[in-house]
Amino acid sequence: MPNETHGPEVLPVALATAATSRRGFLRTASLTALSAGALAACGKTPVAEAASEAATPPAGPPPVPLSPRAAADAMDAMHEKGIKSFPAKTEGKGNQILAPRIEKGVKIFDLTAKVVQWELEPGRKVEAWTFNGVVPAPQIRVREGDRVRINLRNDLPESTAIHFHGLEIPNDQDGVPYITQPPVKPGDSYVYEFIVPNAGSHMYHSHHNSAKQVGLGLLGAFIVEPKDKSSEPKVDVDYVLILNDGAHGFTLNGKSFPATEPIVAKLGQKVRIRYMNEGMMIHPMHLHGMHQTVIAKDGWPQPQPWKCDTLNIAPGERWDVVVNCNNPGTWAFHCHILPHAESDHGMFGMVTALIVQK
Amino acid sequence: MPNETHGPEVLPVALATAATSRRGFLRTASLTALSAGALAACGKTPVAEAASEAATPPAGPPPVPLSPRAAADAMDAMHEKGIKSFPAKTEGKGNQILAPRIEKGVKIFDLTAKVVQWELEPGRKVEAWTFNGVVPAPQIRVREGDRVRINLRNDLPESTAIHFHGLEIPNDQDGVPYITQPPVKPGDSYVYEFIVPNAGSHMYHSHHNSAKQVGLGLLGAFIVEPKDKSSEPKVDVDYVLILNDGAHGFTLNGKSFPATEPIVAKLGQKVRIRYMNEGMMIHPMHLHGMHQTVIAKDGWPQPQPWKCDTLNIAPGERWDVVVNCNNPGTWAFHCHILPHAESDHGMFGMVTALIVQK
Amino acid sequence: MPNETHGPEVLPVALATAATSRRGFLRTASLTALSAGALAACGKTPVAEAASEAATPPAGPPPVPLSPRAAADAMDAMHEKGIKSFPAKTEGKGNQILAPRIEKGVKIFDLTAKVVQWELEPGRKVEAWTFNGVVPAPQIRVREGDRVRINLRNDLPESTAIHFHGLEIPNDQDGVPYITQPPVKPGDSYVYEFIVPNAGSHMYHSHHNSAKQVGLGLLGAFIVEPKDKSSEPKVDVDYVLILNDGAHGFTLNGKSFPATEPIVAKLGQKVRIRYMNEGMMIHPMHLHGMHQTVIAKDGWPQPQPWKCDTLNIAPGERWDVVVNCNNPGTWAFHCHILPHAESDHGMFGMVTALIVQK
C-alpha cells in the first residue's frame, strides 16, 4: 500500500496543530493571510494557473497535460491556501454592538443608510448598501421594556424604511412604506420610537425594494434580553450568526470564507448561537464534532429543547441553539448545501469554524 | 436634518388611516383598484415608463437623466400604486366552500376539470387548469366519518385523476394512475367514494402529469372537521391559505398581490390559518406585528403548540397556526423569500395583509 | 356521461391487482422491465415518438395532428410503461450492509474510492465516484461503543477524505483536509480509527471538493445502534433512504424511478425509515395512505414523537420516522417537489412505493 498514513498519529497541517491554541491559530493565520488571501477560494483562479505554481510545466509548446497526481496537487494547493489563510483579514467588521446614547431614559440609536465599498474576502470589494457603513448593520441589543428611538438618515440613492422583524410593536412603527408610513426619501430622515415588547433574537432591515436592499446589506440583528432571565440558558459565548445569499454571494456576518470569523470557546464552555437568515434560500448549518441543542424559534422558546447537528434555517427565520463545547479542536462549521461552501478551488462562502480550546 | 418626520405622529397614507376600518379600507381600495391595477407590481412596466408619469422629462433629445430624488419618486410611485390598489378587484374567486348534494346520507361533490382564463391580478389573464373554473378549486369541507362521493368529469385535453393528499383512504381511491386506477381520459368521468377517515387540513389535486397540472391550478383544500371538537382551538376566523409558484407565478389562493385577499379580524379575535403549499419551492410565511402559534402539521396536532413569526412551508406540507389578534392595524403578511414578494416595481406575488380592526 | 367508471369496483391495472401480492407484483414488474425500461420516464423520448407507437399516424405528408384523445393516449402510454416496469432491474445495488472484518475486537471496514459506470435506470449509465463501486456506498452498521477502523484507499483521479457526519469523534478523525488531516492523494491510503460515541442515523461522505465528489456518489449511511435499545421503537423493517440530487439527477438510494426499490411490509408491521439528504435541495417526502411518526432528528430522539405525511428533509439532515402499516396496497411514496418526481413522460426520479401486503 503506497504512502499509507495512519490518521490518529499524524497531524502535519498548521491548522491542525494550532487547533487547540488560539494564539497559535491566529498567528498562523495572520502570517499566511496576506500571501494567500488573493488566491484563496474565491473561484476566480483557473486550475491551470495554480497548477503552474504547484508543478513546473515543461518549457515550450506543446504543453504536456498534468499527471493525475500533479493535477491533484495543484487543486489541493488551492484548498490549502484558502484554509491556511483563515481567518483572513479584511477591512470592516459588521454585527458589532452599537452603544446607545441615553436621553431621559430613552436608548437612542443613530443609523445612516449609505452606500460603501465592502471587503467580502481579501482583495474583493463590492458595493454594499449599509446602515453605518457595515454589513451586517450594527447589532442593537436592548432589554424587554426599554424605550428605544432609532434615528434613520437616508443617504442612499433610493427611498428606504426599517422594519423591526419579530418585534410586536405598534403598527405605525412597523416600517412598511405605504402601509404604515411614507417611504424615507433620499436625503431625508425618519424617527422610530417604541417600547420593546417581546424578548428574543430579532432583526431589523429595509422593507422597501427589499429584495434588492436587503440583498445588498441593509440588515442587522435586534436582540432583546428578557426582563426575567431565569429561563435563559447560562452561556459563556453569545454569538449572532447572520446568513445571507444576495448580491454578495454566500456570506456569514457579511464575509465570505476565509474572511469569516471563527467562534472561539474553551473546553467545557457553552456557546449560544443565534442564527438569522436574511437571504433568499435555506441554509442547513452543520456543525462538526458536537451537536446543537435548539432552544428558541424566532425569539420564542421551544416547548422542549431538541438536538441536531444540522439545522435548516429558512429566510426570515431565527433559531437559537446552545453548543456544549466538550470536544476540543477546530471544527468545520458550514452550510451543508455543499455548493454554498466549497468549489474545486477550495472552501468559500458559508464556512467558518468553532474552535474549542483545551 | 432636512425634512425630518417623526414616525408616531404621522400617518399620511390612505392605507394607514383606513387600517382599522374595514369599510374605509375597502372603499379606498376599490376607488383606486381600476386605475392602479394595470400598473401595479406586475413587473412589466419599465422604470423609465413609470418615471415619465411621475417626473416630466424635458422634451427633445438628448434626455436628461433623472435626479436621484426624481428617480426615487418614480420608483415609489409604482410601489404606492400597487399598495393603494390592494385588495384589487379581479374576476373569479377560488377556495370557496362547495356545498354538497346529499343523497342517502352521502355528501356528493361534482367536480369538472376544465381549462379557463383566470385573472391573476387586474388585467392579467392566464390559462388555468381548474376544477369547476376556479383556482384554487372549491374547498371541500366535511366531517370525520362522513361518506363522500366525488364525481369527476374531465374536460381537459389531457387525462387526469384526483389524489386526496393526507387522507388515509382505501388504496383504490388514492388517485394515482396506473398504480391505483386508470387515468381519466379527456371526455370521461370517474367516481371516488370513501368514508373520511382522519381529521385535519388536507388537499386534493391532480396526480397525473402533476408537475404541469397542479402548477396550472388543479388543486384545492380538503378540510376534515373532527368528530370530537374538544381539542380544537376556538377561533373566530378559520382561513385556508394555499401557496403556489407554478406557471402562474407566486400566488396566494390563486391571486397575486394586489389581487390577494386580506384576512380581517376584530381586536381580540383569534384567527386560524391553514397553510397549504401546492408549489415547488418553500415559502416561509412571515406575519408582522403578532406571532403565530403552530398547532398542527399535515392535519395532525403537534405534541405541544409552539410560537414563531415566520413559518417555513414546504411543498406538500400543511401547517395550522392560530394568531391572537391583539395588535390593531393593517399588518403585512408575506413570503420572506423577498423576490417572491417585492421587486423594484413594488410588492407583488405572495403578499397579503392581516387587518386587525379596533 | 361517456365511459363512466366507478372507482371502487374497477382495478384493471396490473399494478393495482398485484398490489397486495409481492410475488405477483415482482413478476409483473420483471416481465415488463426489459421492454419498457429504455423508454420509461427518462425524459428523453419526445411525445411524437411515443405517439407513433400508440396511435398509427396516416402515411405520407402532411401529417395530421393527433386528436386530443389520441394525444392523451400517447402520453398515458409513456406513464403506464414507466410504472409497469417498476421496480425495473438495473445493474448494481448500493446501501447494502458491509460486514466488517474483526481483528482484536476492532471492526474493520475496507473502502476503496473509485470511478465506475453506474446504471441509474435501465440502460442509462453514468460516471459515478464511489466507495467500493456502489452508490450509495456500503452501509456501515455498528454499535455504540464499538471500536472501528476504516481503511480508505483512494483510486480516484482527485484527492479525497472521509467525514463521519454526525459522529462526535476526536477532531483528528473528522476528515476535513487541511483542518484535521492532509488530503488523501490519488493512489494513497489513509486509516481512520475511533470508538463510536453516539447512536443514531449518521452518514459518511467525502469532505474534499465535496460539492462535486458527494454529488457524484461518495456517500453512505453510518448507522449506530444504541447500547441500550429500550427506547428504540420495535420495528419489522428498518430502511435507510438516501436522497440525492447531484450530477445523477434525482435519486433514491442511487437509482431513479422506475429503478428505485419498493419498501415491502406486511399488514400490521411497522417500518422505520431513516431519511438522509446528501443533495443540494430540500426534498419533502410524501407517503400516501398512512402517516409518518417522526422519532429522531440527526440521530437524536425528538422530545416527543409527532405525526405528518410529508416530511421536509434538508441537505445534511437525517430524520427517522416510523410507519404503522395499517392500510393495505401499493402506496406512492415520493418527493413532493413535483418536478423531482414526474414529467409529461411519466414518473421518474424520486419516486418509489411502500407496499403493504395483506
Side-chain angles (χ1 to χ4, degrees):
Chain A
M1 213 177 265
N3 234 334
E4 172 156 341
T5 318
H6 195 288
E9 283 74 38
V10 182
L11 278 173
V13 185
L15 246 183
T17 52
T20 54
S21 149
R22 195 192 180 193
R23 281 179 168 259
F25 177 80
L26 294 176
R27 197 185 322 117
T28 308
S30 62
L31 286 174
T32 55
L34 284 177
S35 57
L39 187 63
C42 65
K44 277 171 302 193
T45 313
V47 171
E49 237 180 85
S52 70
E53 298 180 29
T56 314
V64 174
L66 291 175
S67 73
R69 178 65 180 245
D73 286 345
M75 175 186 284
D76 294 352
M78 293 186 287
H79 284 246
E80 184 175 15
K81 280 189 178 176
I83 289 177
K84 279 204 175 150
S85 72
F86 172 77
K89 273 192 183 170
T90 48
E91 195 187 326
K93 181 171 180 180
N95 197 28
Q96 302 289 95
I97 292 178
L98 180 62
R101 284 184 289 124
I102 301 187
E103 286 179 13
K104 298 180 185 170
V106 181
K107 291 187 175 169
I108 301 171
F109 300 90
D110 296 319
L111 296 177
T112 300
K114 61 180 174 184
V115 181
V116 302
Q117 289 293 305
W118 182 250
E119 196 177 20
L120 267 186
E121 58 187 27
R124 185 169 162 225
K125 292 205 173 185
V126 294
E127 179 180 312
W129 289 31
T130 71
F131 294 113
N132 295 4
V134 288
V135 184
Q139 188 182 124
I140 294 179
R141 198 153 190 133
V142 296
R143 199 155 160 270
E144 206 182 341
D146 280 352
R147 174 172 283 271
V148 302
R149 187 181 304 145
I150 284 97
N151 296 312
L152 166 64
R153 182 181 161 79
N154 181 10
D155 285 348
L156 301 172
E158 287 183 7
S159 298
T160 193
I162 299 179
H163 169 57
F164 302 93
H165 180 111
L167 293 179
E168 305 193 344
I169 53 184
N171 192 256
D172 59 9
Q173 302 304 304
D174 194 44
V176 185
Y178 300 115
I179 296 185
T180 69
Q181 67 165 75
V184 185
K185 299 280 181 182
D188 285 4
S189 292
Y190 196 83
V191 179
Y192 297 93
E193 185 166 333
F194 50 84
I195 293 171
V196 176
N198 52 317
S201 301
H202 304 299
M203 309 193 287
Y204 67 104
H205 52 225
S206 165
H207 211 291
H208 191 62
N209 201 15
S210 57
K212 173 183 173 184
Q213 294 192 2
V214 176
L216 279 168
L218 286 166
L219 59 99
F222 197 114
I223 308 294
V224 183
E225 288 168 5
K227 270 185 187 169
D228 175 7
K229 291 197 164 190
S230 64
S231 60
E232 286 278 287
K234 282 175 186 47
V235 298
D236 304 284
V237 178
D238 185 335
Y239 198 86
V240 174
L241 187 56
I242 304 181
L243 320 172
N244 209 350
D245 53 37
H248 300 160
F250 301 110
T251 58
L252 299 178
N253 286 341
K255 302 283 176 173
S256 177
F257 183 89
T260 48
E261 182 186 46
I263 305 174
V264 181
K266 289 190 192 312
L267 188 61
Q269 287 190 328
K270 287 184 200 293
V271 174
R272 177 183 190 153
I273 301 167
R274 301 175 188 257
Y275 294 105
M276 306 188 167
N277 188 338
E278 285 281 17
M280 302 173 285
M281 308 173 194
I282 60 152
H283 298 291
M285 292 298 296
H286 174 53
L287 176 63
H288 289 220
M290 289 155 294
H291 57 271
Q292 314 180 43
T293 301
V294 182
I295 59 167
K297 167 76 170 85
D298 298 347
W300 300 98
Q302 286 272 284
Q304 292 185 61
W306 51 278
K307 295 177 184 176
C308 66
D309 55 61
T310 306
L311 186 63
N312 187 24
I313 324 284
E317 290 191 326
R318 292 89 63 213
W319 288 94
D320 287 26
V321 304
V322 173
V323 178
N324 182 11
C325 298
N326 60 4
N327 204 356
T330 295
W331 297 101
F333 182 24
H334 59 93
C335 175
H336 212 281
I337 297 182
L338 299 177
H340 298 182
E342 196 175 24
S343 77
D344 54 4
H345 292 219
M347 290 184 184
F348 76 101
M350 293 181 149
V351 178
T352 185
L354 172 56
I355 301 172
V356 179
Q357 303 172 326
K358 253 188 209 153
Chain B
M1 213 178 269
N3 234 336
E4 173 155 343
T5 318
H6 197 287
E9 283 76 38
V10 182
L11 279 173
V13 185
L15 247 183
T17 51
T20 53
S21 149
R22 195 191 181 192
R23 281 178 168 260
F25 176 79
L26 295 177
R27 196 184 323 114
T28 308
S30 63
L31 286 174
T32 54
L34 284 178
S35 57
L39 187 63
C42 65
K44 277 172 304 196
T45 314
V47 171
E49 236 180 85
S52 70
E53 298 180 27
T56 312
V64 174
L66 291 175
S67 74
R69 177 65 180 246
D73 287 344
M75 175 186 284
D76 295 352
M78 292 187 287
H79 284 246
E80 184 174 16
K81 280 190 177 175
I83 289 177
K84 280 204 174 150
S85 72
F86 171 79
K89 272 194 186 171
T90 47
E91 193 188 328
K93 181 172 183 181
N95 197 27
Q96 302 288 96
I97 292 176
L98 180 62
R101 284 184 288 125
I102 300 185
E103 287 179 13
K104 298 180 186 171
V106 181
K107 291 187 176 170
I108 300 171
F109 300 91
D110 296 319
L111 297 176
T112 299
K114 61 180 174 184
V115 181
V116 302
Q117 288 294 304
W118 181 251
E119 196 176 20
L120 269 186
E121 58 187 27
R124 185 170 162 223
K125 293 206 173 184
V126 294
E127 179 180 312
W129 290 30
T130 70
F131 294 114
N132 294 4
V134 288
V135 184
Q139 187 181 127
I140 294 179
R141 199 154 189 132
V142 296
R143 200 156 159 269
E144 206 182 342
D146 279 352
R147 174 172 282 270
V148 301
R149 186 181 305 146
I150 285 97
N151 296 313
L152 167 63
R153 182 181 161 79
N154 182 11
D155 286 346
L156 301 171
E158 287 182 8
S159 299
T160 194
I162 300 179
H163 169 57
F164 302 92
H165 179 111
L167 293 180
E168 306 192 344
I169 52 184
N171 191 256
D172 59 9
Q173 301 304 305
D174 195 44
V176 185
Y178 300 115
I179 296 185
T180 69
Q181 67 165 77
V184 184
K185 300 281 180 181
D188 286 2
S189 293
Y190 196 82
V191 180
Y192 297 93
E193 184 165 335
F194 50 84
I195 292 171
V196 176
N198 53 317
S201 301
H202 304 299
M203 309 193 287
Y204 67 103
H205 52 226
S206 165
H207 211 289
H208 192 62
N209 201 14
S210 57
K212 173 182 173 186
Q213 293 192 2
V214 175
L216 280 168
L218 285 167
L219 60 99
F222 196 113
I223 308 295
V224 183
E225 289 167 4
K227 269 185 188 170
D228 174 7
K229 291 197 163 189
S230 65
S231 62
E232 286 278 289
K234 283 177 185 43
V235 299
D236 304 285
V237 178
D238 185 336
Y239 198 85
V240 175
L241 188 56
I242 302 181
L243 321 172
N244 209 351
D245 52 38
H248 301 159
F250 301 111
T251 58
L252 299 177
N253 285 342
K255 302 284 178 173
S256 177
F257 183 88
T260 49
E261 181 187 46
I263 305 174
V264 181
K266 290 190 190 312
L267 188 62
Q269 287 190 328
K270 287 185 200 295
V271 174
R272 176 182 192 154
I273 301 167
R274 302 175 188 256
Y275 294 106
M276 307 188 167
N277 187 337
E278 286 281 18
M280 300 173 287
M281 307 172 194
I282 60 153
H283 298 292
M285 293 297 297
H286 175 52
L287 175 64
H288 289 220
M290 289 156 292
H291 57 272
Q292 314 180 42
T293 300
V294 181
I295 58 166
K297 166 80 171 82
D298 298 347
W300 300 99
Q302 287 273 283
Q304 291 185 62
W306 52 277
K307 295 177 184 176
C308 66
D309 56 60
T310 306
L311 186 63
N312 187 25
I313 324 283
E317 289 191 327
R318 291 89 65 212
W319 287 95
D320 285 28
V321 304
V322 173
V323 178
N324 182 10
C325 297
N326 60 4
N327 204 356
T330 295
W331 298 101
F333 183 22
H334 59 93
C335 177
H336 212 281
I337 297 182
L338 300 176
H340 298 183
E342 197 176 24
S343 76
D344 56 3
H345 291 219
M347 290 183 186
F348 76 102
M350 292 181 149
V351 178
T352 184
L354 172 57
I355 303 172
V356 180
Q357 303 173 326
K358 253 188 210 153
Chain C
M1 211 177 270
N3 234 335
E4 174 154 342
T5 317
H6 196 287
E9 283 76 38
V10 181
L11 279 173
V13 185
L15 246 182
T17 50
T20 54
S21 149
R22 197 191 178 193
R23 280 177 170 260
F25 177 79
L26 296 177
R27 196 182 324 116
T28 308
S30 62
L31 286 174
T32 54
L34 285 177
S35 58
L39 186 65
C42 66
K44 278 171 302 193
T45 313
V47 172
E49 237 180 85
S52 68
E53 299 180 27
T56 313
V64 174
L66 291 174
S67 72
R69 177 65 180 244
D73 287 345
M75 175 185 285
D76 295 351
M78 292 187 287
H79 285 246
E80 184 175 16
K81 280 191 179 175
I83 289 177
K84 280 204 174 150
S85 72
F86 173 78
K89 274 194 185 170
T90 48
E91 194 187 328
K93 180 171 181 181
N95 198 28
Q96 302 288 95
I97 292 178
L98 179 62
R101 282 185 289 124
I102 300 186
E103 287 179 13
K104 298 179 186 173
V106 182
K107 291 187 176 170
I108 301 172
F109 299 91
D110 297 318
L111 297 176
T112 299
K114 61 181 175 185
V115 181
V116 301
Q117 289 294 305
W118 182 250
E119 198 177 21
L120 268 185
E121 57 187 27
R124 186 170 162 224
K125 292 205 173 185
V126 294
E127 178 179 312
W129 290 30
T130 69
F131 294 114
N132 294 5
V134 288
V135 184
Q139 188 182 125
I140 294 179
R141 198 153 191 135
V142 295
R143 199 154 159 270
E144 207 182 341
D146 280 351
R147 174 172 282 271
V148 302
R149 187 180 304 145
I150 285 97
N151 296 312
L152 168 63
R153 182 182 160 78
N154 181 11
D155 285 347
L156 300 171
E158 287 182 8
S159 298
T160 194
I162 300 179
H163 169 57
F164 301 93
H165 180 111
L167 293 180
E168 306 193 343
I169 53 184
N171 191 257
D172 59 9
Q173 302 304 305
D174 195 45
V176 185
Y178 301 115
I179 297 184
T180 68
Q181 67 165 77
V184 184
K185 300 281 179 180
D188 285 2
S189 292
Y190 196 83
V191 180
Y192 297 92
E193 184 166 334
F194 50 83
I195 292 171
V196 176
N198 53 315
S201 301
H202 305 300
M203 310 193 286
Y204 67 103
H205 52 226
S206 166
H207 210 289
H208 190 62
N209 201 16
S210 57
K212 174 184 172 185
Q213 293 192 4
V214 176
L216 279 168
L218 285 167
L219 60 98
F222 196 113
I223 308 294
V224 183
E225 288 167 6
K227 269 185 190 170
D228 175 7
K229 292 197 162 190
S230 65
S231 60
E232 288 278 288
K234 282 176 187 45
V235 298
D236 303 285
V237 178
D238 185 336
Y239 198 87
V240 174
L241 188 55
I242 303 181
L243 320 172
N244 209 351
D245 53 37
H248 301 159
F250 301 110
T251 57
L252 299 177
N253 287 342
K255 302 284 176 172
S256 177
F257 183 87
T260 49
E261 182 187 46
I263 305 175
V264 181
K266 290 190 191 312
L267 188 63
Q269 288 191 325
K270 286 185 201 295
V271 174
R272 177 183 191 154
I273 300 168
R274 301 175 189 256
Y275 294 107
M276 307 188 167
N277 187 337
E278 286 281 15
M280 301 173 286
M281 308 173 194
I282 60 152
H283 298 291
M285 292 297 298
H286 174 53
L287 175 63
H288 288 220
M290 289 156 293
H291 57 273
Q292 314 180 43
T293 300
V294 182
I295 59 166
K297 167 77 170 82
D298 298 347
W300 300 99
Q302 287 273 283
Q304 292 184 64
W306 51 276
K307 295 176 185 176
C308 66
D309 55 61
T310 306
L311 185 64
N312 187 24
I313 324 283
E317 291 191 325
R318 290 90 63 212
W319 288 94
D320 287 27
V321 304
V322 172
V323 178
N324 183 10
C325 298
N326 61 3
N327 204 355
T330 294
W331 297 101
F333 182 24
H334 58 93
C335 176
H336 212 281
I337 298 182
L338 299 177
H340 297 184
E342 196 175 25
S343 77
D344 55 3
H345 292 218
M347 291 184 184
F348 76 101
M350 293 181 147
V351 177
T352 185
L354 172 55
I355 302 172
V356 179
Q357 303 172 325
K358 252 188 209 153

